Every structure is written in structure tokens, then in C-alpha cells.
């Protein structure tokens, strides 16, 4: 039955409810394919072309979709637990709210704040920052904050990233707001450390142009690293899902 379903899919690009568990569909051209309610658990769809595909209600649990194109695909109601969507393109895809929260999508394009969780967005920002992709990191932190506007750690992280990009005033606002939130959470010491860092760097920034000061916090320049070790630890530690 599985082999018959596979032949039908590749021949007609229409196989609603097909049983395709563990199928090897690497590089398959399945644009606009009708795959609603298809059983695709553990299938290998790496680099497959699924643009416009109807995958409503399909079971894609632990399916490999690494590098696949899913532009405009309909994934509403699909089971995506453990799916590998790294480096895929989901631009314009229809996805349930937080439908991608339990998937792996590092390097994917088209991930929206609505489609994933706060933790996934924040952690993706941390990973991008560690790779030196500062603009991408800021974008992920922006999305994380739309999910959880009172997340002190994300305000802190975005402040650091913005300072690395010499966005001094926005960075200061982020860090001072993070300090306010940490204070409200019962961490006055960290709040004080952040405020002191901002004050010191405001003074250090006078007469300097374009260099930013977040790198000083993270590199230990001006003796701040030891003082702000808790800040750096919080920034680099991923938040739990």
C-alpha cells in the first residue's frame, strides 16, 4: 500500500490521506501537491519543493524537511512535533498559532512570531548573536517580545545587541527597561548593575562616535565584565521551552 501511494503521489501529485511513513522524497518536486491528512511521519523530504502544497492535517511528526521550500504551503492542523525545518523556506505558509513551537527551524526563512513560541524566538536570537548575525538576532528578539512583552531577559538581550550595532539610545532604553523589570522580579542587584553600566557607558561614550558600548560589557573592557558577569550569563543562557 505504501509503495502504491508513493507512486500515486509522484505521478499525480495528489494523494490525500496517503500512508507515506518513512518514505524517501528527497528533492521531490511536490509543488501544489494535495497531501491533506497524509501520513508522513519520519519521511525524508529534505530539499523537496512543496510550494503551495496542501498539507492540512498531515502528520509530519519527526519528518525531515531540511532545506525544503514550503512557500505558500497550507500546514494548518498539521502535526509537526519534532519536524526538522532547518534552512527551509516558509514564506507565506499558513501555520497554526505556535504550530512550529516544537519543531527545529534554525536558519529557516519566513518564521513569524505567531507561528512559534516565545522561548524558541528568544533562543534563536541568542544563537544568531553567537554567530555574529546581529541584525537577525535583533529581529528574533523583536518577535520574542511580541509574544512576551515583559520578558526582562529579552529586553536585556536586545539592548546588548543594539549596543553592538551602535544603536546607543535604543540600547540604553532597552537596558534600563530590563533593569526595571528585573527589579520588579525581585533582582535589585542585577537591576543596579545594569543601571550602573548604562551610566558608566554614557559617560564613556561622550566624545566617541560609532563604536558602541555593548562589546565592552561582553568583552570585559573598562573592568565591567566581572561586575556584570550575571548579565552576560543571563544573556547567553537559553530560556527553557
Amino acid at each position: 500500500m505504501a509503495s502504491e501511494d508513493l507512486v500515486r503521489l509522484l505521478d499525480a501529485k495528489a494523494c490525500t490521506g496517503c500512508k507515506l511513513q518513512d518514505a524517501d522524497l528527497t528533492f521531490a518536486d511536490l509543488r501544489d501537491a494535495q497531501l491533506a491528512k497524509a501520513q508522513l511521519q519520519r519521511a525524508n523530504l529534505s530539499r523537496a519543493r512543496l510550494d503551495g502544497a496542501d498539507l492540512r492535517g498531515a502528520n509530519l511528526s519527526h519528518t525531515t524537511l531540511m532545506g525544503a521550500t514550503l512557500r505558500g504551503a497550507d500546514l494548518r492542523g498539521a502535526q509537526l512535533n519534532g519536524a526538522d525545518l532547518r534552512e527551509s523556506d516558509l514564506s507565506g505558509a499558513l501555520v497554526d498559532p505556535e504550530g512550529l513551537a516544537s519543531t527545529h527551524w534554525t536558519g529557516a526563512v519566513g518564521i513569524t512570531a505567531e507561528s512559534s513560541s516565545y522561548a524558541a524566538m528568544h533562543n534563536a536570537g541568542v544563537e544568531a548573536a553567537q554567530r555574529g548575525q546581529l541584525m537577525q538576532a535583533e529581529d528574533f528578539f523583536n518577535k520574542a517580545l511580541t509574544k512576551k512583552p515583559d520578558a526582562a531577559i529579552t529586553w536585556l538581550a536586545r539592548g546588548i545587541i543594539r549596543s553592538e550595532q551602535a544603536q546607543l539610545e535604543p540600547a540604553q532604553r532597552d537596558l534600563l527597561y530590563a533593569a526595571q523589570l528585573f527589579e520588579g522580579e525581585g533582582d535589585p542587584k542585577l537591576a543596579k548593575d545594569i543601571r550602573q553600566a548604562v551610566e558608566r557607558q554614557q559617560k564613556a561614550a561622550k566624545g566617541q562616535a560609532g563604536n558602541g558600548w555593548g562589546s565592552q560589557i561582553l568583552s570585559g573592557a573598562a573592568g565591567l565584565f566581572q561586575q556584570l558577569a550575571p548579565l552576560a550569563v543571563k544573556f547567553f543562557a537559553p530560556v527553557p521551552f
Side-chain angles (χ1 to χ4, degrees):
M1 182 64 179
S3 59
E4 293 176 5
D5 283 352
L6 182 58
V7 170
R8 183 153 59 99
L9 170 63
L10 296 176
D11 183 50
K13 293 188 180 180
C15 204
T16 300
C18 279
K19 295 180 179 180
L20 296 163
Q21 296 95 326
D22 302 298
D24 186 355
L25 291 160
T26 308
F27 291 106
D29 185 352
L30 298 171
R31 288 172 292 177
D32 300 314
Q34 300 301 308
L35 284 163
K37 298 183 179 179
Q39 301 301 303
L40 286 155
Q41 304 97 302
R42 303 174 304 279
N44 188 351
L45 284 155
S46 298
R47 310 293 175 185
R49 302 175 71 182
L50 288 153
D51 304 297
D54 182 357
L55 288 156
R56 289 174 297 170
N59 191 334
L60 293 159
S61 299
H62 303 288
T63 299
T64 300
L65 289 151
M66 185 174 180
T69 57
L70 292 134
R71 292 169 294 193
D74 194 339
L75 290 156
R76 290 174 295 181
Q79 299 177 51
L80 291 159
N81 182 51
D84 185 353
L85 288 158
R86 290 173 296 168
E87 300 177 17
S88 61
D89 188 346
L90 287 146
S91 301
L94 300 176
V95 184
D96 293 329
E98 300 203 2
L100 304 180
S102 60
T103 67
H104 308 286
W105 49 260
T106 301
V109 175
I111 303 294
T112 65
E114 294 76 16
S115 66
S116 196
S117 66
Y118 158 73
M121 289 294 176
H122 176 89
N123 293 345
V126 172
E127 291 171 5
Q130 291 173 333
R131 295 193 300 269
Q133 298 171 331
L134 303 185
M135 293 181 65
Q136 186 178 54
E138 183 178 354
D139 181 58
F140 282 128
F141 291 138
N142 290 340
K143 291 175 179 177
L145 288 170
T146 68
K147 305 286 289 186
K148 193 175 179 181
D150 60 349
I153 182 62
T154 306
W155 285 97
L156 171 61
R158 194 177 73 173
I160 293 172
I161 287 299
R162 284 180 162 178
S163 70
E164 288 286 308
Q165 298 176 84
Q167 301 176 35
L168 298 187
E169 291 186 8
Q172 291 168 10
R173 289 195 296 268
D174 282 358
L175 291 177
L176 290 174
Y177 189 56
Q180 179 182 327
L181 291 170
F182 280 122
E183 193 167 52
E185 293 174 1
D187 197 341
K189 183 181 184 304
L190 180 56
K192 181 180 178 181
D193 288 345
I194 295 170
R195 291 186 179 115
Q196 288 179 342
V198 171
E199 289 174 5
R200 291 190 182 193
Q201 294 305 321
Q202 283 175 332
K203 293 177 181 178
K206 289 182 179 180
Q208 299 178 7
N211 293 324
W213 40 266
S215 58
Q216 294 181 348
I217 292 175
L218 293 179
S219 68
L224 288 174
F225 182 79
Q226 289 184 347
Q227 179 186 355
L228 294 175
L231 189 155
V233 169
K234 284 181 175 291
F235 172 63
F236 284 112
V239 298
F241 285 83

